[in-house]
Amino acid sequence: MPSHDVLIIGAGLAGQRAALAAAQEGASVAIISKVHPVRSHSVAAAGGINAALNPEDSWESHAFDTVKGSDYLGDQDAIEIMTREAPNEILWLEHAGVTFHRNESGHLGTRAFGGASQARTYYVADITGHAILHVLYEQLMKHHETVNRYEEWFTTDVLLDDDGRCVGAICRNLKDGRLELFNAKATILASGGAGQAYKPTTNGLIVTGDGIAQAYRVGAKLMDMEMIQYHPTTLAGNGLLITEGARGEGAWLLNAEGDRFMESYAPNKLELASRDVVSRAEQTEINEGRGFDDGTVALDITKVPRRRTLEALREIVNIGRDFAGVDITREPIHIRPGMHYIMGGVKTDTDGLTTIPGLYAAGEVACVSVHGGNRLGANSLLDTLIFGRRSGEHAAKRALQMPMPSSPLSRLAETEREIDSILNREPGGPRIGAIKNELGETMNEYVAVFRDEDGLAKALEIVQRLKEQASKASIDDRGSVFNQDMIAAIELGYMLDCAEAIVVAAQERKESRGAQFRLDFPERNDDEWLKHIDITVNGAGPPKVSYSPVTITRWQPEERTY
Ligand SMILES: Cc1cc2nc3c(=O)[nH]c(=O)nc-3n(C[C@H](O)[C@H](O)[C@H](O)COP(=O)(O)OP(=O)(O)OC[C@H]3O[C@@H](n4cnc5c(N)ncnc54)[C@H](O)[C@@H]3O)c2cc1C
């Protein structure tokens, strides 16, 4: 049985940063990923990463922008930590080999991003996530003696002992179907978001909410689950992202009448208001008949000098050409708000500890909560790195002071039986793909930019019916080598759990704040709802709801305008 001080599930930016930090503390580490680490979804991150590094900027300004962006739901102690530690993290990355853009004077150059009062986004063209992920992977190689990489292994469950402490996880080697129990003194979930519960989404096929559901199933609290970010600029139909970097470089949003409509919604920040504000403005234009026939508005990147677009936004030049047949350097491209990010996740403290002893979470799977009701663009990469590192350090220190726990071996046989029961389902049952499509389309219809009680009730009813169907869905591949059919069945269960938690939390919050806009409760209501909604498992029934306070250190809630 593999035994390690620290077991990390996920090898995106949060997981790899955690692994490096834990190894540097002297811990033995296992890092597990269902895909090769550099194919983790962090590789798609485009526009950049925020830090108040310029002398004329300050962490306080970055923190205030983040608090305001969160619509005052973000916990300010966590936001202070993230923004204070950001400049050193950028320098650390630079020294490790990330080739951040430099300006004409040779200094690290920035671009503007939404909701920020300063241009403080550091970037590598529009492949920032790719650049950082590859550098972290190289750094991990230096620690090959203490960091064991389990690439293309799939975690099915996290394990608790009889006292309710996390003692490791069960994982399946995708190459041959072998199940293994991983024993660990501390386990860090770094398994990313849950975007595939929506259709379309900017998120890749692997982003299926595994860690959120696994933690929830063993009793960990989830928080802010209702807060789903719709990014303002995604392609209709396929959901592909056009980075906010385009608006940061000067692109405009136009309706079908050619009006720069953000002038009426956010006269000061225009296209660079926070994402919830811009997405709502676009959807309003579309709903009120000022959009194009394909349910979109236009992003005009021709406002950016062509040379600059070709240098700094080259990936979206390719995306425009390959997926929309548009040369973005010469004509506007049609876009609309699309599901992009989950602000909620597994509730943690500022060292990544969840409500289960021994279980940590960091990155998009977690909710610290630094994003509250709405994440600012380029704050997620920062979140993954700061809280990935802090979790790795804390978990390693904890692990080095304790003996190896013993894991309940019987659980291995239990998981084996569960997998066999999927493999042996009667043929002819409901199709996994069809259930997933209905789930995604339902979430995108009723739990999107605008919500109301009737739509949310419908969504819950459908999600619960789909849960029932999913338990009977049959698969075609009964083999053991790279059985993605069987993995898809397990992932579908995770997405359904996440979706149920999202809908229940959205029903519970009877106000509009950040990404949650309730047509039936259109105002923010600080008197009753300046609090987090926590979600916990409740046997086979619908999730249990409770509340926790928002931490306010120095910024009292104010009216939010851009
Ligand atoms: C198109 C796009 C562009 C973006 N651009 C930016 C940007 O410019 N700036 C910014 O700040 N943010 C950006 N974001 C958001 C940001 O990229 C993500 O929030 C962040 O990268 C998530 O990192 P992570 O480490 O938490 O998870 P991920 O990178 O998603 O990694 C998850 C890891 O967990 C593993 N895993 C998952 N489930 C299992 C399982 N069951 N068993 C084993 N392993 C598992 C995966 O294999 C993977 O290694 C963007 C997002 C998208 C979709």
Side-chain angles (χ1 to χ4, degrees), residues 45-50 65 110-123 125-126 128 231 241-249 269 271-275 313 340 375-381 562:
I49 175 167
N50 288 335
D65 290 344
T110 52
R111 63 164 48 123
F113 247 61
S117 49
Q118 296 260 349
R120 62 167 75 92
T121 302
Y122 294 87
Y123 62 98
D126 52 355
T128 311
H231 191 291
L241 183 79
I242 303 292
T243 174
E244 187 166 310
R247 280 171 289 139
E249 298 286 344
K269 298 296 288 183
E271 285 82 4
L272 289 179
S274 66
R275 288 178 176 175
L313 299 169
H340 182 58
R375 168 174 78 84
L376 292 188
N379 261 358
S380 170
L381 294 190
Y562 286 100

Side-chain angles (χ1 to χ4, degrees), residues 10-11 13-14 33-34 40-42 45-48 155 191 210 364 378 380-381:
L13 288 182
S33 173
K34 64 181 177 180
S40 299
H41 201 59
S42 295
T155 301
S191 33
D210 305 15
E364 197 169 333
S380 170
L381 294 190

Side-chain angles (χ1 to χ4, degrees), residues 226-246:
E226 69 279 22
M227 297 303 179
I228 299 293
Q229 178 161 84
Y230 270 64
H231 191 291
T233 55
T234 71
L235 296 187
N238 56 32
L240 281 175
L241 183 79
I242 303 292
T243 174
E244 187 166 310

Side-chain angles (χ1 to χ4, degrees), residues 457-515:
K458 240 180 242 157
L460 189 61
E461 201 184 302
I462 296 171
V463 170
Q464 288 173 344
R465 169 173 55 77
L466 294 178
K467 273 188 128 174
E468 188 59 36
Q469 286 180 7
S471 62
K472 300 187 194 94
S474 57
I475 61 173
D476 298 324
D477 185 351
R478 289 162 204 260
S480 51
V481 178
F482 280 107
N483 188 340
Q484 291 303 123
D485 218 10
M486 194 271 294
I487 296 298
I490 299 178
E491 289 172 340
L492 179 63
Y494 297 147
M495 287 182 272
L496 284 161
D497 279 357
C498 291
E500 189 177 36
I502 291 167
V503 179
V504 166
Q507 282 181 313
E508 184 68 16
R509 184 172 290 283
K510 294 182 177 49
E511 65 151 0
S512 291
R513 179 186 301 272

Side-chain angles (χ1 to χ4, degrees), residues 8-17 31-50 111 113 121-123 125-129 133 150 152-157 170-172 174 189-194 201-204 206-212 214 229 231 239-245 275 319 339-342 362-366 371 375-385 487 490-491 494:
I8 299 170
I9 301 165
L13 288 182
Q16 292 200 36
R17 190 66 188 90
I31 181 164
I32 290 181
S33 173
K34 64 181 177 180
V35 295
H36 187 281
V38 296
R39 298 184 67 206
S40 299
H41 201 59
S42 295
V43 79
I49 175 167
N50 288 335
R111 63 164 48 123
F113 247 61
T121 302
Y122 294 87
Y123 62 98
D126 52 355
I127 55 159
T128 311
L133 195 64
Y150 295 86
E152 299 182 321
W153 282 71
F154 183 88
T155 301
T156 57
D157 307 90
I170 294 181
C171 307
R172 177 179 163 105
L174 293 174
L189 284 169
S191 33
T201 170
T202 62
N203 292 196
I206 57 174
V207 188
T208 48
D210 305 15
I212 298 177
Q214 287 161 2
Q229 178 161 84
H231 191 291
L240 281 175
L241 183 79
I242 303 292
T243 174
E244 187 166 310
R275 288 178 176 175
I319 289 175
M339 190 283 169
H340 182 58
Y341 184 85
I342 178 161
E364 197 169 333
V365 68
H371 310 302
R375 168 174 78 84
L376 292 188
N379 261 358
S380 170
L381 294 190
L382 185 60
D383 168 14
T384 63
L385 294 166
I487 296 298
I490 299 178
E491 289 172 340
Y494 297 147

Side-chain angles (χ1 to χ4, degrees), residues 2 16 29 48 109 122 178 314 331 337 394 443 451 479 556 562:
Q16 292 200 36
V29 178
Y122 294 87
R178 179 165 47 100
R314 57 190 183 228
E331 56 180 319
H394 198 276
M443 297 300 282
R451 305 160 176 193
Q556 290 303 320
Y562 286 100

Side-chain angles (χ1 to χ4, degrees), residues 170-483:
I170 294 181
C171 307
R172 177 179 163 105
N173 186 345
L174 293 174
K175 294 181 195 91
D176 58 14
R178 179 165 47 100
L179 272 185
E180 193 80 78
L181 193 153
F182 284 73
N183 216 7
K185 299 177 187 174
T187 301
I188 304 177
L189 284 169
S191 33
Q196 284 288 322
Y198 281 70
K199 187 179 177 196
T201 170
T202 62
N203 292 196
L205 284 171
I206 57 174
V207 188
T208 48
D210 305 15
I212 298 177
Q214 287 161 2
Y216 168 73
R217 287 176 186 183
V218 295
K221 270 191 180 161
L222 308 182
M223 189 163 90
D224 298 346
M225 288 296 285
E226 69 279 22
M227 297 303 179
I228 299 293
Q229 178 161 84
Y230 270 64
H231 191 291
T233 55
T234 71
L235 296 187
N238 56 32
L240 281 175
L241 183 79
I242 303 292
T243 174
E244 187 166 310
R247 280 171 289 139
E249 298 286 344
W252 289 13
L253 287 166
L254 303 172
N255 64 20
E257 292 158 14
D259 294 332
R260 193 180 185 191
F261 57 86
M262 285 311 298
E263 285 168 351
S264 350
Y265 297 91
N268 298 319
K269 298 296 288 183
L270 298 164
E271 285 82 4
L272 289 179
S274 66
R275 288 178 176 175
D276 56 331
V277 172
V278 182
S279 285
R280 260 193 308 279
E282 289 178 1
Q283 199 60 54
T284 303
E285 291 296 298
I286 296 163
N287 292 352
E288 293 182 357
R290 292 182 294 279
F292 296 97
D293 290 344
D294 58 352
T296 61
V297 289
L299 178 69
D300 187 356
I301 307 172
T302 67
K303 303 286 177 213
V304 183
R306 186 160 190 271
R307 201 162 153 234
R308 177 72 183 150
T309 301
L310 292 174
E311 174 201 83
L313 299 169
R314 57 190 183 228
E315 280 307 308
I316 59 167
V317 173
N318 295 337
I319 289 175
R321 188 194 55 218
D322 296 345
F323 293 96
V326 171
D327 178 353
I328 61 165
T329 66
R330 299 189 193 281
E331 56 180 319
I333 185 165
H334 287 196
I335 49 81
R336 69 178 184 193
M339 190 283 169
H340 182 58
Y341 184 85
I342 178 161
M343 269 73 75
V346 185
K347 181 184 176 86
T348 72
D349 69 11
T350 54
D351 288 312
L353 258 174
T354 70
T355 50
I356 306 259
L359 182 65
Y360 295 72
E364 197 169 333
V365 68
C367 178
V368 196
S369 114
V370 280
H371 310 302
N374 170 70
R375 168 174 78 84
L376 292 188
N379 261 358
S380 170
L381 294 190
L382 185 60
D383 168 14
T384 63
L385 294 166
I386 299 293
F387 294 102
R389 171 173 53 72
R390 291 176 68 91
S391 305
E393 284 168 359
H394 198 276
K397 284 185 185 137
R398 177 181 188 274
L400 291 171
Q401 289 166 6
M402 63 184 279
M404 190 63 73
S406 57
S407 294
L409 259 175
S410 57
R411 285 298 312 279
L412 206 51
E414 234 173 85
T415 305
E416 192 104 51
R417 276 196 299 278
E418 283 162 18
I419 289 181
D420 282 347
S421 77
I422 297 175
L423 292 171
N424 295 325
R425 279 183 196 156
E426 288 294 315
R431 306 300 299 174
I432 288 163
I435 298 172
K436 181 167 179 262
N437 279 348
E438 190 176 349
L439 171 68
E441 284 161 8
T442 300
M443 297 300 282
N444 197 36
E445 180 166 359
Y446 300 116
V447 203
V449 174
F450 294 114
R451 305 160 176 193
D452 64 26
E453 190 57 47
D454 285 352
L456 292 171
K458 240 180 242 157
L460 189 61
E461 201 184 302
I462 296 171
V463 170
Q464 288 173 344
R465 169 173 55 77
L466 294 178
K467 273 188 128 174
E468 188 59 36
Q469 286 180 7
S471 62
K472 300 187 194 94
S474 57
I475 61 173
D476 298 324
D477 185 351
R478 289 162 204 260
S480 51
V481 178
F482 280 107
N483 188 340

